[in-house]
C-alpha cells in the first residue's frame, strides 16, 4: 500500500514515534464542466474548465446560506458515502504541434480504484493528544490562483514527474516536485498535489478571496510540511483537518518525441490557459453529513477504512455522475481550450 510508505516518510521527516493516521480515499469524476460556484457563483459558463468530484448537488450557484449539500445530494462519487462535499481542480490539456488541444485523461492513484477524479486526504493533528475541529456547514476555501503565471508564493501547489510505479513519497511539494509542469517525459504520468491550510479564524466559513479565513501554521512546521502540525497564528487559532488533493494525469499517450514541440518546450497546458503550470488550484466546499467528519478525525481514521463512517464500493461511487451544464466540446482535437482563446 503506497499510502503506508507515504505515512512512513512523514514519520521519518518529523521524527515522530507514533504513526500519523491520514484518511486517503478516491473520489471518481462527477463531471467535467465550466462552472465555479466558489470564485464565479452563478456564472454559466465560468472562465475555465474544472474537473469536479463529490456530491451531486454541485451546481453553478451553491449559495452558502441555503445550499445544504448533504440534503440536496442523492449520491457522492467519493468512497465515504456521508461525504457530499465538492472538490475541484483545473483540467490538463496537451497542445499538438499543429496548435490543437486534446484533454489529458486521468487515472486513479496507486492503491485505489476510481474513474479519474481526485484522491482526497484528511489529516488530523500530528499530536495524538490534540484533536482538530471539523469544518462547519457552509465552509469553503481555495488554494492557488488561476491567474498566476510566475512562481508567486503558492508553494502548496506542485507537480511531480512520476516513475512507472512506487513513488508516492513526500506529498509536501518539496524537491523533486515543482511548481512548473515537468519538462520531460513522465513514464508514470504527472501528479498534481494541492495542500490546504490547517488553521482557521474560528468565525468565518468563507472570505472574499476564499483564503483569508484560513492560514498555514506560523511556526513549528516548515512551509512545505504536510499535516496539521505547527503553531497556528493568533489570528487563526483553530486547528482544522489538513485537506489535500492528489490528481493523476495520464500523459503517457503523449510520450512521443514526434508529438512534442520542436523547440524542446513541454506541451501541456492547464485549462486556465497556462503553459507553465503555476495556475493549478483546488477548491473545497465542505459537505459532510452531520458530525461524521468530526467523528472520523477524533477516531484518527486511516486510509479508506473507518469504523466511524459508511463506505460505498468504488463501483457504486463511480455511478455517481452528472451531465455537464455547459454544453461545449471539451474533447477531440480542439482549436482552443474551452473559454481560453489565448495561452500565456
Ligand atoms: C443549485 O441548487 C440549488 C439547490 O437545489 C437550487 O436552489 C439552485 O437554483 C441551483 N442553482 C443552479 C444555478 O442550478
Ligand atoms: C493535429 O495534430 C494531432 C496530433 O498529431 C492530430 O491527431 C490531428 O489530427 C491534427 N489536426 C489537424 C487539423 O491537422
Amino acid at each position: 500500500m503506497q499510502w503506508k510508505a507515504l505515512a512512513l516518510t512523514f514519520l521519518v521527516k518529523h521524527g515522530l514515534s507514533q504513526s500519523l493516521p491520514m484518511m486517503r480515499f478516491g473520489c471518481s469524476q462527477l463531471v467535467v464542466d465550466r462552472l465555479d460556484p466558489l470564485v464565479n457563483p452563478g456564472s454559466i459558463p465560468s472562465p475555465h474548465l474544472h474537473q469536479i468530484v463529490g456530491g451531486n448537488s454541485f451546481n453553478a450557484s451553491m449559495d452558502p446560506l441555503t445550499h445544504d449539500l448533504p440534503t440536496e445530494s442523492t449520491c457522492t462519487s467519493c468512497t465515504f458515502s456521508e461525504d457530499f462535499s465538492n472538490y475541484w481542480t483545473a483540467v490538463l490539456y496537451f497542445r499538438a504541434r499543429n496548435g490543437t488541444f486534446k484533454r489529458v485523461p486521468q487515472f486513479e492513484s496507486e492503491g485505489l480504484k476510481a474513474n479519474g477524479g481526485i484522491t482526497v486526504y484528511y489529516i488530523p493533528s500530528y499530536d495524538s493528544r490534540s484533536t482538530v475541529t471539523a469544518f462547519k456547514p457552509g465552509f469553503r476555501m481555495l488554494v492557488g490562483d488561476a491567474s498566476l503565471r510566475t512562481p508567486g508564493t503558492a508553494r502548496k501547489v506542485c507537480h511531480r514527474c512520476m516513475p512507472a510505479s512506487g513513488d508516492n513519497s513526500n506529498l509536501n511539494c518539496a524537491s523533486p516536485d515543482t511548481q512548473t509542469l515537468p519538462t520531460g517525459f513522465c513514464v508514470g504520468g504527472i501528479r498534481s498535489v494541492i495542500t490546504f491550510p490547517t488553521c482557521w479564524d474560528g468565525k468565518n466559513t468563507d472570505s472574499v478571496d476564499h483564503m483569508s479565513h484560513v492560514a498555514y501554521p506560523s511556526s513549528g512546521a516548515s512551509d512545505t510540511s504536510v499535516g496539521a502540525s505547527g503553531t497556528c497564528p493568533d489570528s487563526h487559532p483553530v486547528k482544522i483537518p489538513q485537506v489535500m488533493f492528489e490528481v493523476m494525469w495520464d500523459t503517457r499517450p503523449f510520450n512521443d518525441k514526434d508529438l512534442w514541440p520542436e523547440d524542446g518546450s513541454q506541451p501541456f497546458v492547464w485549462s486556465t490557459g497556462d503553459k507553465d503550470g503555476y495556475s493549478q488550484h483546488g477548491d473545497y466546499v465542505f459537505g459532510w453529513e452531520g458530525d461524521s467528519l468530526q467523528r472520523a478525525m477524533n477516531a484518527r481514521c486511516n486510509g479508506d477504512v473507518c469504523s466511524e463512517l459508511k463506505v460505498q464500493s468504488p463501483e457504486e461511487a463511480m455511478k455517481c455522475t452528472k451531465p455537464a451544464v455547459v454544453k461545449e466540446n471539451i474533447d477531440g482535437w480542439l482549436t482552443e481550450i474551452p473559454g481560453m482563446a489565448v495561452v500565456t
Side-chain angles (χ1 to χ4, degrees):
M1 296 303 268
Q2 287 307 316
W3 54 266
K4 279 186 183 154
L6 190 157
L8 199 66
T9 307
F10 294 144
L11 289 185
V12 171
K13 261 190 108 61
H14 294 273
L16 301 179
S17 53
Q18 83 275 35
S19 86
L20 172 64
M22 51 174 80
M23 277 164 64
R24 175 186 191 257
F25 55 94
C27 292
S28 284
Q29 206 86 81
L30 180 71
V31 64
V32 179
D33 208 346
R34 194 133 69 87
L35 297 180
D36 191 340
L38 195 46
V39 177
N40 306 100
S43 294
I44 303 173
S46 66
H48 54 262
L49 197 63
H50 290 120
Q51 57 118 1
I52 301 130
V53 305
N56 68 343
S57 76
F58 177 86
N59 74 15
S61 51
M62 301 190 82
D63 180 342
L65 298 178
T66 57
H67 192 115
D68 185 46
L69 286 73
T71 319
E72 307 279 350
S73 301
T74 56
C75 68
T76 171
S77 70
C78 296
T79 302
F80 292 116
S81 42
E82 290 150 291
D83 181 12
F84 299 102
S85 306
N86 287 118
Y87 312 88
W88 65 94
T89 75
V91 169
L92 198 62
Y93 274 90
F94 168 78
R95 177 162 50 179
R97 280 186 183 179
N98 61 21
T100 63
F101 299 91
K102 177 101 174 136
R103 187 162 70 92
V104 176
Q106 290 175 244
F107 60 125
E108 71 277 3
S109 296
E110 274 191 71
L112 296 175
K113 188 172 177 193
N115 172 23
I118 302 177
T119 298
V120 174
Y121 292 73
Y122 283 85
I123 309 173
S125 173
Y126 269 108
D127 183 349
S128 59
R129 290 159 302 185
S130 73
T131 54
V132 288
T133 303
F135 311 103
K136 303 280 178 281
F139 185 92
R140 54 246 343 249
M141 58 182 167
L142 163 70
V143 167
D145 178 351
S147 66
L148 209 59
R149 295 293 181 274
T150 52
T153 52
R155 294 187 58 199
K156 300 289 183 178
V157 180
C158 59
H159 309 90
R160 178 173 297 188
C161 187
M162 297 297 277
S165 70
D167 182 13
N168 255 334
S169 62
N170 286 352
L171 278 102
N172 60 4
C173 287
S175 178
D177 292 4
T178 51
Q179 281 182 265
T180 50
L181 284 156
T183 50
F185 289 167
C186 300
V187 294
I190 294 174
R191 184 183 76 189
S192 169
V193 166
I194 296 157
T195 305
F196 288 78
T198 50
C199 305
W200 176 45
D201 71 9
K203 291 191 280 287
N204 300 297
T205 50
D206 197 3
S207 47
V208 175
D209 60 2
H210 314 293
M211 294 181 181
S212 43
H213 59 310
V214 288
Y216 291 99
S218 55
S219 68
S222 78
D223 188 33
T224 53
S225 77
V226 170
S229 62
T231 306
C232 285
D234 290 345
S235 55
H236 298 77
V238 182
K239 277 197 176 185
I240 49 178
Q242 177 131 59
V243 176
M244 192 162 71
F245 298 174
E246 176 185 329
V247 187
M248 298 298 298
W249 301 95
D250 192 359
T251 53
R252 295 172 298 186
F254 307 102
N255 285 349
D256 178 346
K257 197 160 51 67
D258 294 335
L259 293 176
W260 278 44
E262 282 155 308
D263 68 3
S265 61
Q266 69 83 32
F268 298 103
V269 180
W270 284 115
S271 55
T272 53
D274 162 25
K275 64 175 175 48
D276 295 315
Y278 299 111
S279 71
Q280 169 64 317
H281 52 284
D283 295 69
Y284 174 62
V285 176
F286 169 78
W288 287 77
E289 208 170 327
D291 65 350
S292 50
L293 179 61
Q294 185 68 61
R295 283 188 282 109
M297 290 288 101
N298 293 350
R300 298 178 76 77
C301 286
N302 198 17
D304 59 358
V305 180
C306 176
S307 59
E308 291 292 329
L309 297 175
K310 293 183 194 129
V311 174
Q312 63 180 348
S313 66
E315 289 72 19
E316 205 58 38
M318 280 186 241
K319 280 188 213 153
C320 188
T321 60
K322 66 185 301 177
V325 170
V326 178
K327 304 294 177 204
E328 63 186 344
N329 190 6
I330 61 167
D331 291 316
W333 292 95
L334 308 176
T335 52
E336 59 184 62
I337 291 174
M340 286 295 144
V342 185
V343 169
T344 53

